[in-house]
Amino acid sequence: MESKKNINTLIHQYVINDPLHQLFDAVDVISVQGYDEDRRVIYWNKGSEHLYGYTEDEAKGKKLEDLIIPAAMRDAVINAHSNWIVDDIEIPASEITLQNKNGKEVAVFSSHVMFTNQYDTKQMYCIDIDLADVKKAQANAVFNEHMLKAIFEALPDLFFLMNKDGTIVDYHASSIDNLYVAPTEFIGQKMTDVLPGMVAKKFETHINKVLQQDEMTSFEYALNLPQGLVYFEARINNLSKYDQIMVIIRDITEQHKSAELIRQQAHYDSLTLLPNRFLALDRLSQILIEAQRKNEKTAVLFLDLDDFKKVNDSLGHEIGDKLLIESSQRLQSVLRKEDTVGRLGGDEFIILLRGVEDHHYASKIVEKLLNNFRKSFKINGKELLLTMSIGIAISPENGNTVSDLLRNADTAMYQAKSLGRNTYSFFTKKMNIIIQRRIAIEEQMYGALQRNEFYLHYQPQFDTKNKYVIGAEALLRWNNPILGNVMPDEFIPIAENTGLIVPIGKFVIEQAVSFLAKWKSVSEGKKKLTMAVNLSPSQFRDEGLFSFIKTVLSGENIPPEDLELEITEGLLMSCQLNIADVLAKITNFGIKLSMDDFGTGYSSLSYLRKYPFNVLKIDRSFISGITQNEEDLNVVKATIAMSHSLGLTVIAEGVETPCQLTLLNELGCDIVQGYYLSKPISENKIIEQYSDSL
Ligand code: C2E
Ligand code: MG
Ligand code: MG
């Protein structure tokens, strides 16, 4: 027995199928092992060494089951081998897990062949292919599948897999709430079969697009589901390698809602819910484009509630807000659906009328609007009357652009205000000329101070009885190289609007006080001289005004009582909160306060008592009438008497004739100023003419 084995081994060593071994030697990525009838290794290629770790020398002569067969499989392997040898029962090729030299598992696909050599002994060859990579790939695939499943479940999105023709082959939905039909109804169907027309059309278009361009495409749509209108975003991807299309659908209702809210806030006024300035003007630009195409006229109405500020200040913002809401409703109720009402801000509204045939049509609508405000508003148990002024600009006559029309309607609105409010006015050519002039003045005024274009003239004021000079009023002058001489009545309101009045006003104070110092020194301080300076309401918004004046006075060594500040009722009506404080500070310091243009406003009397005035200037419109007109004479008489009873000094402005002067003297007017005595004149002339006569 023992000797037979040795002979066999010997024989085996010589029975080498050379060409076969040469072939196996050449392929070292596959393990090829040869075994004799006792399962001893007779061939072991490099591939076997790579796979199982044994070198050829280590393996040769060892038994199969002692090398690479795990203990649990040993008996089965031995049996299978003997069955093959004895009964010719082939061992089928299969995937099995063997082990390497270190005892680690090695997954292989193992095929086997049995040769019978010339000595009639059998040799089994095993050809093992390493399955490590395959196994890894398989494990990866399984992992990916699990991961995808987990992702699908975790994501609220809907996933549809469809063939190129749009037939749905698979879907994933973590919840079926957002599915338009039951899940089963999708499979085998196309989106176009199950979704409503418009949405289906969108899907079709985008599926075609993705197939043609091979790029991800996305679009939004909305569906009416039992829970309400739901907004979706669909993203479509072409899995061109697999001839399939992936559709990912996301519920974007919340996003949509917040975007809608933002849009709403950006485009609508939160109080009245009307389109805001931005949206209204955007609509106007759209309307203008369309109107041009259709050759139609468009009317732009600029509305401003009359004295709304007073309502707000006296009745409070709550009532003011309610009035604005009701006003906006009343405006809307008069208009057609295609017309737009917008709130420009504060108490300003805009109305856009399309397809306006003529001026007559626009005035009919405007009259309806004004009429609709005749009824009182009932708010918090109060009955309130509110009127408005409306300016109308019509395109194309009054402009083709949003800004031109808006500006022109605004100008016409101001015209309506000056006509006495509660009325309307069309924009006219004349207004256009005024506007052009205004724009030119505004343009030139920037930088005019730096270019030294401003200077002062002084109009002397005289003691009525003795006719000697007691001081002067500083009056601003502007000489511009382009516009020539511009008078203050024209440029001061513009300076007030642009805010330039603040630096310009400071310049006036500095100049006037410094001139007063010079004038006094030339006059050797024989008598008192005062300097009157006009102040605009907006100058009081500058918090540093008072301290600025103080600094200027002390810089020139002028006592405060030599300075007189002239203000008009406009300041007091402007309802600035701190106005009383500032005025009190000024007069407590000793500066005089003068009420200018008395009689031209509304309720001067009450202001005279409320604020610490020292001087009252009767407006020249009354003075010019006193010698002819009984009424004016009576007003002036009463004003002088009343002023004196309040302890105020009275100045008459605009004295142009000797008769007026005589009469004013008789009436007891303290001081006079006017062309009859002197026009406003330059510094030098004042010094020349009014230094000796002191
Ligand atoms: P005001 O303060 O009432 O000034 C008197 C205006 O009447 C001056 O016009 C003066 O030239 C004019 N005037 C004086 N006597 C007569 C007269 O006998 N007959 C006629 N017809 N007019 C006379 P001016 O200089 O054109 O100033 C107009 C207004 O501009 C001033 O009215 C004042 O309100 C404003 N203003 C002038 N300078 C300044 C300034 O420096 N600051 C501010 N804020 N306003 C100023
Ligand atoms: Mg004045
Ligand atoms: Mg005046």
Side-chain angles (χ1 to χ4, degrees), residues 302-567:
F302 198 114
L303 295 82
D304 188 289
L305 301 178
D306 295 328
D307 293 323
F308 187 73
K309 203 170 162 16
K310 275 193 194 155
V311 174
N312 244 349
D313 290 343
S314 55
L315 302 174
H317 283 262
E318 193 201 336
I319 291 188
D321 283 355
K322 284 186 179 161
L323 260 179
L324 285 172
I325 294 169
E326 277 221 22
S327 303
S328 68
Q329 285 160 356
R330 284 202 190 176
L331 293 178
Q332 275 171 306
S333 69
V334 171
L335 300 172
R336 304 168 301 181
K337 251 210 216 109
E338 61 265 36
D339 300 325
T340 295
V341 191
R343 184 175 174 210
L344 292 175
D347 57 351
E348 288 176 354
F349 295 88
I350 188 172
I351 291 178
L352 312 173
L353 305 175
R354 325 169 173 235
V356 173
E357 277 150 32
D358 50 17
H359 279 52
H360 183 64
Y361 175 83
S363 40
K364 250 176 39 196
I365 301 263
V366 169
E367 270 158 24
K368 263 196 210 165
L369 289 167
L370 292 172
N371 261 333
N372 209 23
F373 271 59
R374 297 250 149 82
K375 285 176 284 176
S376 62
F377 289 84
K378 288 194 186 66
I379 286 168
N380 290 7
K382 284 194 169 69
E383 284 213 20
L384 300 164
L385 274 173
L386 193 62
T387 60
M388 60 189 167
S389 303
I390 304 177
I392 308 159
I394 293 187
S395 168
E397 298 101 281
N398 303 149
N400 288 315
T401 65
V402 171
S403 58
D404 281 356
L405 287 165
L406 190 69
R407 196 188 53 232
N408 294 346
D410 186 19
T411 306
M413 190 277 291
Y414 272 102
Q415 174 71 15
K417 289 257 185 217
S418 66
L419 289 175
R421 297 153 192 242
N422 192 20
T423 185
Y424 65 95
S425 180
F426 281 96
F427 181 76
T428 61
K429 278 229 172 74
K430 202 173 141 211
M431 288 181 206
N432 203 14
I433 293 166
I434 294 169
I435 281 192
Q436 295 306 329
R437 169 86 178 159
R438 219 192 127 90
I439 291 171
I441 289 177
E442 206 177 302
E443 253 173 36
Q444 288 304 313
M445 205 185 293
Y446 284 99
L449 199 57
Q450 290 74 10
R451 296 191 300 264
N452 291 319
E453 291 172 14
F454 290 112
Y455 59 96
L456 295 181
H457 268 176
Y458 299 90
Q459 187 173 33
Q461 297 174 328
F462 302 85
D463 177 276
T464 317
K465 217 187 271 168
N466 305 311
K467 317 288 182 290
Y468 57 76
V469 163
I470 58 96
E473 178 180 4
L475 293 159
L476 185 58
R477 295 292 176 261
W478 180 24
N479 184 272
N480 176 265
I482 291 170
L483 301 168
N485 283 325
V486 188
M487 289 310 278
D489 277 335
E490 196 176 11
F491 72 77
I492 294 269
I494 299 172
E496 284 172 350
N497 253 332
T498 55
L500 284 171
I501 191 67
V502 173
I504 294 174
K506 283 184 172 168
F507 163 83
V508 173
I509 293 166
E510 269 172 344
Q511 289 285 305
V513 171
S514 132
F515 171 66
L516 179 61
K518 188 170 160 194
W519 192 14
K520 281 175 76 159
S521 74
V522 174
S523 313
E524 290 155 8
K526 283 180 208 155
K527 281 246 170 72
K528 269 195 97 58
L529 285 174
T530 58
M531 181 57 68
V533 172
N534 295 281
L535 283 188
S536 291
S538 39
Q539 286 179 264
F540 284 83
R541 262 178 233 138
D542 173 16
E543 284 183 4
L545 176 73
F546 177 57
S547 61
F548 175 80
I549 296 174
K550 267 198 332 198
T551 315
V552 172
L553 287 175
S554 67
E556 296 289 352
N557 215 4
I558 294 287
E561 60 272 17
D562 289 358
L563 180 65
E564 204 170 280
L565 298 180
E566 296 190 6
I567 61 169

